[in-house]
Amino acid sequence: MDTGKQDAIEATIDIDATAEAVWKLVSEPGWFINGGAITTHRIETNGAFSTVHDAIYGTFEFETVTLDAPRYAAFRSLGGDEWDDPIPNTLVEFWVEDTHSGAIRLRVAESGFAAFSEEEHARVINTNTQAWDAEMLAAQRHLSGK
């Protein structure tokens, strides 16, 4: 692993919703697999492992690492269809936090990118940074009703 490469992506958004509503969304494995609008997935669960089926983007596998309701959820992405990011896998963590304004702050960090090959690293960082911006906005629209 190259310790000089960027290892993590972080994003934050404030949402006018309850912590429980935000938790209900972020505690679902793969909720962020969509085209910028929250969609329903078929999910098969076997212990800590889930297979998420998206009608457009295909099948993805996740390991649920930690669920600490209603404040912290962590999933390990175990890959997806052949076009998806190759191994190594990433850890996706969500924090649900109160703000002074009464909104709920949703934070995400996806880490593990330093283990990607030189050829894949820049592409995966760029793609996933753009994706998290879109997914956080989708969560805000979905939960705020905006």
Side-chain angles (χ1 to χ4, degrees), residues 24-43:
K24 184 177 178 185
L25 177 66
V26 303
S27 62
E28 177 183 299
W31 69 267
F32 44 87
I33 301 168
N34 59 66
I38 304 302
T39 57
T40 302
H41 296 110
R42 182 169 58 90
I43 302 174

Side-chain angles (χ1 to χ4, degrees), residues 37-97:
I38 304 302
T39 57
T40 302
H41 296 110
R42 182 169 58 90
I43 302 174
E44 300 168 4
T45 302
N46 183 4
F49 298 92
S50 298
T51 302
V52 178
H53 302 273
D54 183 84
I56 297 171
Y57 298 106
T59 302
F60 299 82
E61 295 179 344
F62 295 93
E63 177 187 9
T64 299
V65 177
T66 304
L67 293 176
D68 185 10
R71 297 296 176 187
Y72 176 77
F75 303 95
R76 182 160 306 281
S77 173
L78 301 177
D81 287 341
E82 63 185 58
W83 62 267
D84 191 31
D85 300 336
I87 303 294
N89 301 310
T90 59
L91 180 67
V92 181
E93 300 172 277
F94 299 99
W95 291 267
V96 178
E97 305 167 332

